[in-house]
Amino acid sequence: PIPVEKSLGAPVVGGTVNGTGALTVTATSVGEDTKLSQIIRMVEAAQGAKLPVQDLVNRIALWFVPVVMGIAALTVLGWLILGPEPAVSHALVAGVAVLIIACPCAIGLATPSSIVVGTGRAAEMGVLFRQGDALQTLQTARTIAFDKTGTLTQGRPELTDLTTSPGFDRDDVFRLVASVEALSEHPVAQSIHRHATERGMALSPATGFSSLTGMGVTAEVEGRKILVGADRVMAQSGITLGALASTAQELANAGKTPLFAAIDGQIAAILAVSDPIRPDAPAAIAALKAQGLRVAMISGDTARTAQVIADRLGIDTVTAEVLPDGKIAALKQLQKEGPTAVVGDGINDAPALAAADIGIAIGAGTDIAIEAADVVSMSDDLSRVAVALDLSRRTMANIRQNLVWAFAYNILLIPVAAGLLYPFFGLLLSPVLAAAAMALSSVFVVSNALRLRWATADIASPRTAREIEVSQPAPAE
């Protein structure tokens, strides 16, 4: 989220936003050579490499039907050879009862009824399963890998710290700095101006404004010369940083971007901005870890910044400074330890979302990310990731319950229908009773699936307090 300085000959990605000044570029990659086209090809390749999930029920049904037909034929033949008179009547009753009792209605309903109810309930809770096999695949995930910028963080810089030098009033310094930054279009400047506006500060008009590309800004406010920028612009102006130099190092180690303010040639304050963690991220990460998952982060940001975010959120594995194709390589490393789900929101996340065992797009994300994902959160609430996983596990457990009932029902009652009890008790199952038992089996399966309509995910409420309160920054000693 922090702008990058570009100089003569530096590569510029299509879609780059130019902050100040004029920018002349030469198009070296067009059409199919553009980064977007490459990303699209990676998405298509990843999607094409996915194998369709083999349906367990279909595989069993492939053998179940002919086996039942064979059992029915053997039943009729056995009664004709060994049965008492009237043998033909007994044979037909027993054969028809076997066919009716073994009618695979419950087996056929076991999976689709749970899927329909489970996906419907998921939609009510803000989760959309875009592909049929996503519901089954998600519950196998062992690692959840997040993108950082815009997913775990808010994706825009915010003012986090302000420390003044001795002899300078904090509010006065901040008002002067904000008055200058109000004239700049730089995202860092906008974060300072936005914070001043939120505090209701009355800013003064600035004159002689000048933007020093890649270094800072300068202007005059109330007759005082204000200089705001990086340490190099202070060194260029002959301004010593003093004790604030060590403060700058501490802020940088915390993953923040420090900048200095000088008034009339004297260092007055150090400010810091960072991309703040989303308020709902801590609770979302905690909920996933409570479900026994390993949480990873894959980011194109610097390793230091990414590690700071990971430490605050309790993330287990961090891979930083990677490009879109590098995210796929990092993902493959994670997949060596088990099925991996990827959560992202941007264009750069699309290849990883498609290559993952399961891709989860945040609802506020780009269209290409949503199209590449298997699961979409219809809001930007990160807790929906844990909700999706919980519902996937519940639905698959429900399907297993239905299948166990359906097959156990057939295994137990087919011998009864064939006449197993007749030699001992003289009982032969009527086709009418077999039909009633078959119908009750289907009713049980559907009723069990409908229990998912009342499924609730026990996910902790996201925190709403900021990680760092910047309205009252502590003064420097």
Side-chain angles (χ1 to χ4, degrees):
I2 304 299
V4 177
E5 181 181 0
K6 295 291 182 179
S7 57
L8 184 64
V12 179
V13 178
T16 294
V17 177
N18 184 35
T20 58
L23 180 67
T24 302
V25 298
T26 300
T28 58
S29 299
V30 297
E32 293 186 355
D33 296 327
T34 61
K35 185 65 67 176
L36 179 59
S37 295
Q38 294 173 18
I39 289 175
I40 291 173
R41 284 198 297 273
M42 283 189 287
V43 170
E44 290 175 344
Q47 289 177 333
K50 283 187 176 180
L51 297 177
V53 178
Q54 295 294 322
D55 189 353
L56 175 62
V57 177
N58 288 340
R59 292 202 303 268
I60 295 176
L62 180 66
W63 297 98
F64 179 80
V65 173
V67 167
V68 168
M69 296 293 290
I71 292 174
L74 290 175
T75 299
V76 172
L77 184 61
W79 278 98
L80 289 175
I81 297 174
L82 304 175
E85 291 297 334
V88 174
S89 177
H90 287 154
L92 291 177
V93 169
V96 171
V98 168
L99 292 175
I100 293 176
I101 206 75
C103 182
C105 292
I107 297 174
L109 289 170
T111 299
S113 58
S114 296
I115 290 176
V116 169
V117 179
T119 53
R121 180 56 180 157
E124 292 176 355
M125 300 180 71
V127 177
L128 175 64
F129 288 89
R130 295 186 63 248
Q131 299 183 14
D133 60 350
L135 195 63
Q136 178 177 347
T137 307
L138 181 57
Q139 55 98 30
T140 66
R142 295 296 174 263
T143 302
I144 306 292
F146 285 87
D147 169 57
K148 184 184 79 67
T149 303
T151 303
L152 293 175
T153 65
Q154 295 182 10
R156 69 173 186 176
E158 292 286 349
L159 180 66
T160 59
D161 296 82
L162 170 61
T163 303
T164 56
S165 297
F168 287 89
D169 180 75
R170 183 171 63 248
D171 288 340
D172 185 51
V173 170
F174 184 63
R175 181 178 57 83
L176 295 174
V177 170
S179 297
V180 176
E181 297 287 26
L183 301 179
S184 174
E185 297 178 352
H186 197 284
V188 172
Q190 292 176 352
S191 69
I192 295 174
H193 180 237
R194 182 168 58 250
H195 187 66
T197 302
E198 291 173 354
R199 293 183 60 184
M201 278 190 166
L203 304 182
S204 301
T207 59
F209 176 85
S210 177
S211 175
L212 310 174
T213 304
M215 293 193 294
V217 294
T218 182
E220 287 191 8
V221 181
E222 299 175 357
R224 308 168 74 178
K225 186 175 181 180
I226 311 299
L227 176 64
V228 184
D231 53 358
R232 57 183 179 272
V233 75
M234 298 296 163
Q236 191 178 81
S237 302
I239 300 173
T240 58
L241 303 180
L244 295 183
S246 59
T247 304
Q249 186 61 44
E250 293 174 2
L251 293 170
N253 291 336
K256 303 175 184 179
T257 302
L259 64 154
F260 299 89
I263 300 177
D264 293 331
Q266 293 186 359
I267 192 70
I270 182 172
L271 303 91
V273 296
S274 69
D275 187 10
I277 295 173
R278 291 167 52 115
D280 56 349
I285 299 298
L288 290 171
K289 298 189 77 171
Q291 294 185 26
L293 293 164
R294 186 168 65 110
V295 181
M297 183 171 71
I298 303 175
S299 174
D301 212 335
T302 63
R304 181 172 59 185
T305 301
Q307 190 61 53
V308 169
I309 298 297
D311 291 341
R312 291 180 181 176
L313 293 175
I315 291 175
D316 304 303
T317 305
V318 180
T319 305
E321 301 180 4
V322 293
L323 297 175
D325 51 352
K327 289 186 177 183
I328 294 181
L331 171 62
K332 289 181 179 179
Q333 289 296 320
L334 294 174
Q335 287 175 322
K336 292 180 180 179
E337 300 184 21
T340 301
V342 171
V343 183
D345 72 320
I347 290 177
N348 288 344
D349 303 322
L353 289 171
D357 297 288
I358 195 79
I360 304 174
I362 302 300
T366 59
D367 289 344
I368 191 172
I370 293 174
E371 285 298 320
D374 306 292
V375 181
V376 177
S377 168
M378 292 184 286
S379 71
D380 59 358
D381 184 357
L382 285 178
S383 68
R384 299 303 93 185
V385 177
V387 169
L389 182 69
D390 183 68
L391 286 174
S392 173
R393 289 176 172 176
R394 293 189 186 207
T395 303
M396 292 309 301
N398 191 272
I399 290 174
R400 286 191 289 270
Q401 293 165 7
N402 285 347
L403 291 175
V404 167
W405 166 262
F407 285 113
Y409 158 86
N410 280 283
I411 291 172
L412 293 175
L413 291 188
I414 285 178
V416 174
L420 179 64
L421 300 180
Y422 189 86
F424 306 100
F425 307 103
L427 297 177
L428 191 61
L429 185 64
S430 166
V432 175
L433 294 177
M438 182 270 294
L440 287 175
S441 177
S442 299
V443 169
F444 176 88
V445 165
V446 174
S447 299
N448 187 51
L450 288 174
R451 292 191 307 110
L452 291 171
R453 293 185 59 186
W454 294 275
T456 57
D458 186 16
I459 306 300
S461 299
R463 286 169 48 186
T464 56
R466 288 187 179 184
E467 286 283 320
I468 301 170
E469 179 58 51
V470 299
S471 60
Q472 296 293 333
E477 293 293 337

